[in-house]
Amino acid sequence: MTKQKVSFFWFRRDLRLEDNTGLFHALQSDFPVIPLFIFDDEILENLPKNDARVQFIFESLQKINEQLKAIDSSILIKKGTTSKVWESLITEFDIQHVFFNKDYEPFAILRDAAIQQLLAQHHITASSFKDHVIFEEKEITKADGLPYTIYTPYKNKWLEKYHLLGQAPEFDTKPWYGNFSKNQFTFPELAEIGFEKSIIKVLPPDLSQISNYKETRDFPAEDSTSYLSPHLRFGTVSIRKLVNWANRKNQTFLSELIWREFFIQILFSFPNVVNHNFKSAYDGIQWRNNEEDFKRWCSGTTGYPMVDAGMRQLNETGYMHNRVRMVVASFLCKHLLINWQWGEAYFAEKLLDFELASNVGNWQWAAGTGCDAAPYFRVFNPEIQQKKFDEKGIYIRKWIPEFDLGYNEPMVDHAFARDRAIETYKKGILR
């Protein structure tokens, strides 16, 4: 029996049909396109069985499948190690071309190189595209071709290049939907993937929340964030549409999107930042790394209300307000002298919007060990942060219901912790 000649589009962190670069090109290939998603065992084996992010991916794929059913198509869902899945697909189909969008994380780069090598061995063409950033890899560099390591000049160059474009080009995939394969694949249950429903939900994005973003973004009780970050992480929204909107409507919000691309560029150019300080001079810091202190930080029982409210919000919802993230991160690294990697790993486990580049970048920023980081002698005072940004205690009382009944004493005195941190950093910085 003759096998069907097809192209594949491999979904990864681009879970949408609209304005999807790789999909746009796939649908213009010479063969029917099979949409594919692989639940990768190498990633899944490290996650809890009720991981809310897996559920969000699953639900996003369900939405894609419903859209495809309307045009008499469907998505193929596979589970296993990526290489084994592709080996199986190569035997099942006469694959002519595979399309996918790039991912710039070290694990993904190695995975994609291995799959491209496998496809090449079977004389299958592979094409990859830029999709979840406006500018990638070496598109924004200094005059000497080296990557920027300071945000402001990177941002200025980014904006200069963006304005030369006029706006980021958007890809209208709808006229090509008729080129999807008409295969009817069975969509699995979540349990078949080895997971169960989570009580934590990813909220839908709401751009109306950021109309006053510049004025309200630092006040957690305002809840004026867009909840876009998980959708950006998994690509259920288009970065091009979002950036073009922000450029017209909200320059402060646009700057935050550029920070995201800055950190992605740093991770691509300096992949060792995942496990090492960007500033190697800070490698001599003698962290205390006290496990009991870390447990109190994780559970939100440090005695500092702003820190504890943030950690409880994270543990209960998978979200944490950005201003509060800075406070809790500074507290862990400076007040408790616990290595930023401990906090980064905990956020990676809990955050719905976990993205390696931003997580590592922001944690090293807070610790003072990263590129363009806060200076080591800046130690946030959680009590002053609370007075400035939650003066009436609305945010704190939401997440600490026992606050007015007499709250815990701080686990460490701020003045003592500040002096200890500065002295430890001074001694640890390698000259």
Side-chain angles (χ1 to χ4, degrees):
M1 183 176 177
T2 304
K3 290 190 290 187
Q4 182 184 16
K5 288 188 176 184
V6 294
S7 292
F8 268 84
F9 176 72
W10 181 13
F11 282 102
R12 291 105 67 83
R13 51 183 304 171
D14 47 11
L15 303 181
R16 67 189 186 283
L17 296 182
E18 298 78 17
D19 190 23
N20 184 318
T21 315
L23 180 60
F24 173 81
H25 289 283
L27 291 172
Q28 295 178 68
S29 70
D30 295 328
F31 305 94
V33 175
I34 295 179
L36 168 74
F37 185 86
I38 301 170
F39 282 97
D40 188 345
D41 282 345
E42 289 185 75
I43 297 173
L44 298 182
E45 65 186 7
N46 298 313
L47 302 177
K49 295 305 179 187
N50 63 345
D51 193 289
R53 294 164 297 192
V54 174
Q55 180 174 312
F56 177 61
I57 291 169
F58 183 83
E59 291 172 350
S60 299
L61 292 169
Q62 281 182 315
K63 290 177 182 177
I64 288 173
N65 200 50
E66 288 301 312
Q67 290 177 277
L68 290 170
K69 283 168 66 176
I71 55 172
D72 199 28
S73 184
S74 63
I75 187 169
L76 177 59
I77 305 294
K78 292 287 187 178
K79 180 180 180 294
T81 60
T82 305
S83 58
K84 294 293 185 186
V85 169
W86 276 110
E87 287 170 4
S88 174
L89 292 172
I90 289 167
T91 64
E92 186 177 351
F93 297 94
D94 187 356
I95 304 175
Q96 303 296 304
H97 206 141
V98 174
F99 297 80
F100 59 91
N101 291 315
K102 294 181 186 177
D103 191 331
Y104 308 99
E105 295 182 1
F107 167 83
I109 289 171
L110 291 174
R111 175 200 62 199
D112 293 350
I115 298 305
Q116 285 174 296
Q117 184 178 19
L118 172 66
L119 295 171
Q121 289 170 357
H122 291 83
H123 309 290
I124 298 169
T125 304
S127 299
S128 61
F129 299 88
K130 174 180 66 174
D131 185 71
H132 80 264
V133 291
I134 303 300
F135 299 113
E136 66 170 358
E137 299 178 356
K138 298 180 180 180
E139 288 187 315
I140 303 291
T141 61
K142 295 185 284 187
D144 59 7
L146 294 175
Y148 284 101
T149 58
I150 304 295
Y151 170 70
T152 299
Y154 173 88
K155 173 188 172 182
N156 292 338
K157 187 69 171 287
W158 191 102
L159 286 169
E160 177 188 329
K161 196 159 188 175
Y162 174 78
H163 290 311
L164 283 173
L165 288 175
Q167 68 170 22
E170 299 174 17
F171 296 90
D172 185 4
T173 49
K174 287 184 180 178
W176 309 94
Y177 280 3
N179 294 339
F180 278 113
S181 160
K182 301 307 178 185
N183 285 296
Q184 299 300 313
F185 301 111
T186 302
F187 198 91
E189 298 292 331
L190 186 60
E192 294 177 64
I193 300 161
F195 282 78
E196 58 195 49
K197 284 193 174 183
S198 171
I199 60 172
I200 294 175
K201 298 288 186 185
V202 174
L203 299 174
D206 184 0
L207 287 176
S208 68
Q209 287 291 330
I210 55 176
S211 55
N212 298 314
Y213 183 73
K214 183 177 181 180
E215 294 77 22
T216 62
R217 65 177 179 154
D218 283 319
F219 299 93
E222 296 278 348
D223 195 23
S224 61
T225 52
S226 64
Y227 293 98
L228 264 166
S229 50
H231 298 274
L232 271 175
R233 166 65 182 89
F234 295 106
T236 60
V237 296
S238 158
I239 187 62
R240 290 173 294 279
K241 288 183 181 294
L242 188 56
V243 161
N244 291 338
W245 176 90
N247 182 54
R248 296 191 303 270
K249 301 286 188 179
N250 197 308
Q251 291 294 308
T252 304
F253 188 65
L254 177 61
S255 293
E256 295 301 312
L257 297 174
I258 300 172
W259 264 109
R260 172 181 173 270
E261 297 212 355
F262 174 68
F263 282 139
I264 289 172
Q265 178 254 177
I266 290 292
L267 179 62
F268 175 79
S269 301
F270 307 97
N272 65 326
V273 296
V274 173
N275 297 309
H276 298 89
N277 296 318
F278 181 86
K279 295 177 180 175
S280 58
Y282 286 72
D283 290 348
I285 295 172
Q286 296 299 305
W287 303 105
R288 291 176 63 247
N289 288 347
N290 182 286
E291 292 190 6
E292 287 303 315
D293 286 357
F294 183 65
K295 287 178 183 176
R296 289 188 66 174
W297 177 83
C298 291
S299 62
T301 54
T302 69
Y304 282 96
M306 181 69 92
V307 174
D308 294 346
M311 296 307 295
R312 294 186 193 191
Q313 181 187 22
L314 173 64
N315 292 332
E316 290 183 37
T317 70
Y319 288 94
M320 191 192 299
H321 188 275
N322 190 56
R323 165 59 58 175
V324 185
R325 292 190 196 197
M326 289 190 279
V327 176
V328 303
S330 176
F331 185 86
L332 184 74
C333 299
K334 305 285 179 69
H335 284 70
L336 302 183
L337 282 173
I338 289 176
N339 193 321
W340 62 267
Q341 291 176 285
W342 290 35
E344 192 275 331
Y346 192 76
F347 271 29
E349 177 188 337
K350 296 290 184 179
L351 280 173
L352 293 173
D353 64 4
F354 166 66
E355 185 169 53
L356 183 63
S358 294
N359 204 41
V360 168
N362 282 312
W363 268 99
Q364 290 206 39
W365 182 91
T369 68
C371 60
D372 202 10
Y376 74 85
F377 48 81
R378 181 191 292 175
V379 181
F380 281 115
N381 184 329
E383 292 173 331
I384 291 177
Q385 292 288 309
Q386 177 186 330
K387 288 174 184 175
K388 286 179 68 176
F389 301 113
D390 191 35
E391 185 179 9
K392 296 180 180 178
I394 296 171
Y395 173 76
I396 286 166
R397 286 179 174 86
K398 179 176 181 179
W399 298 107
I400 308 176
E402 75 273 23
F403 178 70
D404 290 316
L405 302 177
Y407 198 56
N408 300 331
E409 289 293 315
M411 64 185 290
V412 62
D413 176 72
H414 169 70
F416 165 78
R418 181 182 182 277
D419 291 344
R420 180 177 65 179
I422 292 173
E423 187 63 26
T424 301
Y425 271 70
K426 278 182 181 177
K427 288 180 180 177
I429 295 175
L430 305 174
R431 304 299 178 185

